[in-house]
Amino acid sequence: MDTLPQSMKAVVIDKHGDSSVLRLETQHPLPVMNETDVLVKVHYAGINFVDTYQRSGLYPVKLPLQVGREGAGTIVDIGSNVPPSYGLQVGNRVAVFTQGTTAEYVSAPAESVMVLPRSVSTEQGAAIMLQGLTAWTIVQDAHKVEQGQTILIQAAAGGTGGMLVQMCKHLGATVIGTVSTPKKAETARKHGCDHVILYKDNDVQEEVMRITSTKGCHAVLSGVGEATFAEDLACTRRKGTLVSYGNSSGAVSSFRVLDLSKKNVKLVRPTLANYIMERDEFVLRSQQLLDLVGSGVVRPELGGEYRLGEVAQAQDDLTTQKTTGKLLINIQT
Ligand SMILES: NC(=O)c1ccc[n+]([C@@H]2O[C@H](COP(=O)([O-])OP(=O)(O)OC[C@H]3O[C@@H](n4cnc5c(N)ncnc54)[C@H](OP(=O)(O)O)[C@@H]3O)[C@@H](O)[C@H]2O)c1
């Protein structure tokens, strides 16, 4: 094992607020490992909305907090009680779904660590553990997407949306995607959307009803939250499913359960962690996802690379609709 440093660079918050509360500490103590943890030298960390919800206080967290929920790098130490059946070894290139990845080192519970096959790059590994796994659990566990279904995907050029489009096409669905700009429309088409609706110029519900001969969609997959919720419900067909998986425009604040009865719609509000809490669930969905990425069926679009000192900029770019695809922090630069 290489000699480990005494301290490291890490991005932390010790109070809630806008992106100015993010601090890059250059002498942050190395994480303390539990016996069921592995210590990972992080090469890339992903930027996600959850980082901004933790920062703002929308999602409760204990402060101070080492920022970042996903990453990829190399195992440099293994806890004494990590089950050998996990197959983890020092030197393995791995992807992790854990807290604190926006740092030079993270201590990750071994159960949330996957070894990366040669066919998946370290960048791709860091890019898929949150948005990618979310997208895959949405189309498998929240609503099983099947051949012949028509699916509406809001923010189809986004990180999660872009992967949802590719997965739904792979599963044989007709995909309608929404985007804000012509440039994002190009990206959504590249991901495989059969129909792209520029929602600033067109009425999404009208367009969806036209495309589906007034039936609506078998499922609507929306991470936008408040701004599109009424539209999401309106675009879901009778006996269809609305998967409302995020809050990029704000959390859905008011909703009448009775409204579901108009079309017997099933409403799901999933969070990734609750689909992969058990190790076997995590391994099943992660392995399937790694296979999809390794074989080129799903290609995570890398929308921007930033340095450790630029986490605030990356978060602001994500929340102000400037980006497409996945934003990564290159920890080693
Ligand atoms: N449930 C889970 O476990 C889980 C996991 C991952 C992500 N999520 C959620 O999924 C959502 C999308 O996450 P992501 O990382 O993939 O982001 P993203 O889609 O890459 O970026 C958000 C996109 O949403 C669209 N948008 C529409 N109205 C917006 C507004 N008022 N403010 C900001 N964006 C708006 C924008 O696309 P246009 O410019 O095309 O409108 C924007 O680019 C987030 O709410 C996130 O919390 C949930």
Side-chain angles (χ1 to χ4, degrees), residues 86 111-112 272-286:
Y86 289 8
E111 61 195 14
S112 62
L272 170 61
N274 283 326
Y275 282 133
I276 55 166
M277 209 158 272
E278 304 291 337
R279 172 75 182 171
D280 57 348
E281 295 169 330
F282 173 72
V283 170
L284 174 71
R285 294 296 179 228
S286 305

mmCIF file of all heavy atoms in Angstrom, residues 86 111-112 272-286:
data_model
loop_
_atom_site.group_PDB
_atom_site.id
_atom_site.type_symbol
_atom_site.label_atom_id
_atom_site.label_comp_id
_atom_site.label_asym_id
_atom_site.label_seq_id
_atom_site.Cartn_x
_atom_site.Cartn_y
_atom_site.Cartn_z
ATOM 1 N N TYR A 86 -17.261 -9.879 -1.614
ATOM 2 C CA TYR A 86 -17.438 -8.650 -2.412
ATOM 3 C C TYR A 86 -16.357 -8.537 -3.500
ATOM 4 O O TYR A 86 -16.481 -7.740 -4.421
ATOM 5 C CB TYR A 86 -17.380 -7.398 -1.528
ATOM 6 C CG TYR A 86 -18.587 -7.198 -0.613
ATOM 7 C CD1 TYR A 86 -19.572 -8.161 -0.477
ATOM 8 C CD2 TYR A 86 -18.724 -6.016 0.112
ATOM 9 C CE1 TYR A 86 -20.655 -7.982 0.361
ATOM 10 C CE2 TYR A 86 -19.815 -5.817 0.948
ATOM 11 C CZ TYR A 86 -20.776 -6.795 1.072
ATOM 12 O OH TYR A 86 -21.847 -6.598 1.907
ATOM 13 N N GLU A 111 -20.277 -2.091 0.798
ATOM 14 C CA GLU A 111 -21.494 -2.561 0.113
ATOM 15 C C GLU A 111 -21.947 -1.603 -0.986
ATOM 16 O O GLU A 111 -22.783 -1.958 -1.820
ATOM 17 C CB GLU A 111 -22.617 -2.786 1.125
ATOM 18 C CG GLU A 111 -22.998 -1.534 1.865
ATOM 19 C CD GLU A 111 -23.843 -1.815 3.100
ATOM 20 O OE1 GLU A 111 -23.901 -2.984 3.514
ATOM 21 O OE2 GLU A 111 -24.412 -0.858 3.637
ATOM 22 N N SER A 112 -21.397 -0.381 -1.026
ATOM 23 C CA SER A 112 -21.805 0.568 -2.066
ATOM 24 C C SER A 112 -20.689 0.826 -3.083
ATOM 25 O O SER A 112 -20.592 1.899 -3.675
ATOM 26 C CB SER A 112 -22.225 1.893 -1.417
ATOM 27 O OG SER A 112 -21.120 2.435 -0.736
ATOM 28 N N LEU A 272 -33.313 6.991 -5.223
ATOM 29 C CA LEU A 272 -32.427 5.887 -5.604
ATOM 30 C C LEU A 272 -32.099 4.980 -4.424
ATOM 31 O O LEU A 272 -32.186 3.760 -4.520
ATOM 32 C CB LEU A 272 -31.140 6.457 -6.228
ATOM 33 C CG LEU A 272 -30.020 5.444 -6.466
ATOM 34 C CD1 LEU A 272 -30.459 4.358 -7.427
ATOM 35 C CD2 LEU A 272 -28.763 6.146 -6.973
ATOM 36 N N ALA A 273 -31.724 5.589 -3.290
ATOM 37 C CA ALA A 273 -31.218 4.799 -2.154
ATOM 38 C C ALA A 273 -32.209 3.717 -1.739
ATOM 39 O O ALA A 273 -31.807 2.620 -1.339
ATOM 40 C CB ALA A 273 -30.917 5.722 -0.978
ATOM 41 N N ASN A 274 -33.493 3.992 -1.842
ATOM 42 C CA ASN A 274 -34.485 3.006 -1.403
ATOM 43 C C ASN A 274 -34.665 1.846 -2.373
ATOM 44 O O ASN A 274 -35.331 0.873 -2.038
ATOM 45 C CB ASN A 274 -35.830 3.683 -1.149
ATOM 46 C CG ASN A 274 -35.819 4.422 0.162
ATOM 47 O OD1 ASN A 274 -35.174 3.990 1.115
ATOM 48 N ND2 ASN A 274 -36.503 5.551 0.218
ATOM 49 N N TYR A 275 -34.087 1.930 -3.569
ATOM 50 C CA TYR A 275 -34.127 0.792 -4.486
ATOM 51 C C TYR A 275 -32.870 -0.079 -4.372
ATOM 52 O O TYR A 275 -32.860 -1.197 -4.863
ATOM 53 C CB TYR A 275 -34.262 1.267 -5.940
ATOM 54 C CG TYR A 275 -35.666 1.690 -6.321
ATOM 55 C CD1 TYR A 275 -35.888 2.884 -6.994
ATOM 56 C CD2 TYR A 275 -36.772 0.890 -6.021
ATOM 57 C CE1 TYR A 275 -37.165 3.281 -7.359
ATOM 58 C CE2 TYR A 275 -38.050 1.283 -6.378
ATOM 59 C CZ TYR A 275 -38.248 2.467 -7.042
ATOM 60 O OH TYR A 275 -39.510 2.852 -7.392
ATOM 61 N N ILE A 276 -31.816 0.455 -3.772
ATOM 62 C CA ILE A 276 -30.535 -0.290 -3.783
ATOM 63 C C ILE A 276 -29.952 -0.440 -2.386
ATOM 64 O O ILE A 276 -28.755 -0.574 -2.220
ATOM 65 C CB ILE A 276 -29.507 0.419 -4.707
ATOM 66 C CG1 ILE A 276 -29.323 1.882 -4.279
ATOM 67 C CG2 ILE A 276 -29.917 0.311 -6.178
ATOM 68 C CD1 ILE A 276 -28.113 2.538 -4.889
ATOM 69 N N MET A 277 -30.826 -0.408 -1.367
ATOM 70 C CA MET A 277 -30.345 -0.434 0.019
ATOM 71 C C MET A 277 -29.640 -1.748 0.374
ATOM 72 O O MET A 277 -28.649 -1.772 1.083
ATOM 73 C CB MET A 277 -31.525 -0.205 0.950
ATOM 74 C CG MET A 277 -31.117 0.457 2.233
ATOM 75 S SD MET A 277 -32.527 1.247 2.980
ATOM 76 C CE MET A 277 -32.509 2.851 2.245
ATOM 77 N N GLU A 278 -30.180 -2.857 -0.130
ATOM 78 C CA GLU A 278 -29.553 -4.160 0.150
ATOM 79 C C GLU A 278 -28.432 -4.381 -0.859
ATOM 80 O O GLU A 278 -28.564 -4.026 -2.032
ATOM 81 C CB GLU A 278 -30.582 -5.291 0.002
ATOM 82 C CG GLU A 278 -31.830 -5.133 0.856
ATOM 83 C CD GLU A 278 -31.547 -5.296 2.343
ATOM 84 O OE1 GLU A 278 -30.532 -5.950 2.676
ATOM 85 O OE2 GLU A 278 -32.318 -4.753 3.149
ATOM 86 N N ARG A 279 -27.343 -5.035 -0.412
ATOM 87 C CA ARG A 279 -26.193 -5.261 -1.303
ATOM 88 C C ARG A 279 -26.614 -5.993 -2.589
ATOM 89 O O ARG A 279 -26.175 -5.655 -3.672
ATOM 90 C CB ARG A 279 -25.121 -6.069 -0.545
ATOM 91 C CG ARG A 279 -23.945 -6.554 -1.414
ATOM 92 C CD ARG A 279 -22.960 -5.471 -1.772
ATOM 93 N NE ARG A 279 -21.902 -6.001 -2.641
ATOM 94 C CZ ARG A 279 -20.987 -5.263 -3.268
ATOM 95 N NH1 ARG A 279 -20.983 -3.955 -3.132
ATOM 96 N NH2 ARG A 279 -20.077 -5.806 -4.027
ATOM 97 N N ASP A 280 -27.514 -6.983 -2.469
ATOM 98 C CA ASP A 280 -27.866 -7.722 -3.694
ATOM 99 C C ASP A 280 -28.640 -6.834 -4.672
ATOM 100 O O ASP A 280 -28.487 -6.959 -5.887
ATOM 101 C CB ASP A 280 -28.615 -9.032 -3.395
ATOM 102 C CG ASP A 280 -29.889 -8.817 -2.590
ATOM 103 O OD1 ASP A 280 -30.090 -7.711 -2.061
ATOM 104 O OD2 ASP A 280 -30.693 -9.760 -2.506
ATOM 105 N N GLU A 281 -29.453 -5.905 -4.152
ATOM 106 C CA GLU A 281 -30.171 -4.968 -5.036
ATOM 107 C C GLU A 281 -29.166 -4.046 -5.729
ATOM 108 O O GLU A 281 -29.257 -3.779 -6.930
ATOM 109 C CB GLU A 281 -31.157 -4.112 -4.237
ATOM 110 C CG GLU A 281 -32.299 -4.880 -3.601
ATOM 111 C CD GLU A 281 -33.099 -4.042 -2.603
ATOM 112 O OE1 GLU A 281 -32.545 -3.132 -1.960
ATOM 113 O OE2 GLU A 281 -34.295 -4.320 -2.454
ATOM 114 N N PHE A 282 -28.211 -3.543 -4.950
ATOM 115 C CA PHE A 282 -27.198 -2.628 -5.488
ATOM 116 C C PHE A 282 -26.367 -3.319 -6.570
ATOM 117 O O PHE A 282 -26.141 -2.776 -7.653
ATOM 118 C CB PHE A 282 -26.306 -2.137 -4.344
ATOM 119 C CG PHE A 282 -25.123 -1.318 -4.783
ATOM 120 C CD1 PHE A 282 -25.287 -0.034 -5.263
ATOM 121 C CD2 PHE A 282 -23.832 -1.847 -4.712
ATOM 122 C CE1 PHE A 282 -24.195 0.725 -5.684
ATOM 123 C CE2 PHE A 282 -22.734 -1.091 -5.130
ATOM 124 C CZ PHE A 282 -22.920 0.187 -5.611
ATOM 125 N N VAL A 283 -25.940 -4.553 -6.284
ATOM 126 C CA VAL A 283 -25.094 -5.276 -7.239
ATOM 127 C C VAL A 283 -25.884 -5.576 -8.512
ATOM 128 O O VAL A 283 -25.389 -5.385 -9.629
ATOM 129 C CB VAL A 283 -24.529 -6.572 -6.615
ATOM 130 C CG1 VAL A 283 -23.866 -7.451 -7.672
ATOM 131 C CG2 VAL A 283 -23.525 -6.224 -5.523
ATOM 132 N N LEU A 284 -27.140 -6.026 -8.348
ATOM 133 C CA LEU A 284 -27.948 -6.381 -9.519
ATOM 134 C C LEU A 284 -28.081 -5.186 -10.461
ATOM 135 O O LEU A 284 -27.749 -5.269 -11.651
ATOM 136 C CB LEU A 284 -29.344 -6.856 -9.079
ATOM 137 C CG LEU A 284 -30.321 -7.116 -10.228
ATOM 138 C CD1 LEU A 284 -29.919 -8.378 -10.993
ATOM 139 C CD2 LEU A 284 -31.765 -7.241 -9.714
ATOM 140 N N ARG A 285 -28.551 -4.063 -9.929
ATOM 141 C CA ARG A 285 -28.799 -2.908 -10.804
ATOM 142 C C ARG A 285 -27.484 -2.288 -11.298
ATOM 143 O O ARG A 285 -27.397 -1.848 -12.450
ATOM 144 C CB ARG A 285 -29.652 -1.854 -10.077
ATOM 145 C CG ARG A 285 -31.082 -2.329 -9.765
ATOM 146 C CD ARG A 285 -31.867 -2.595 -11.037
ATOM 147 N NE ARG A 285 -33.225 -3.062 -10.789
ATOM 148 C CZ ARG A 285 -33.774 -4.112 -11.388
ATOM 149 N NH1 ARG A 285 -33.114 -4.822 -12.277
ATOM 150 N NH2 ARG A 285 -35.016 -4.454 -11.123
ATOM 151 N N SER A 286 -26.452 -2.236 -10.446
ATOM 152 C CA SER A 286 -25.172 -1.642 -10.877
ATOM 153 C C SER A 286 -24.530 -2.481 -11.967
ATOM 154 O O SER A 286 -23.994 -1.948 -12.937
ATOM 155 C CB SER A 286 -24.175 -1.532 -9.722
ATOM 156 O OG SER A 286 -24.729 -0.845 -8.669
#
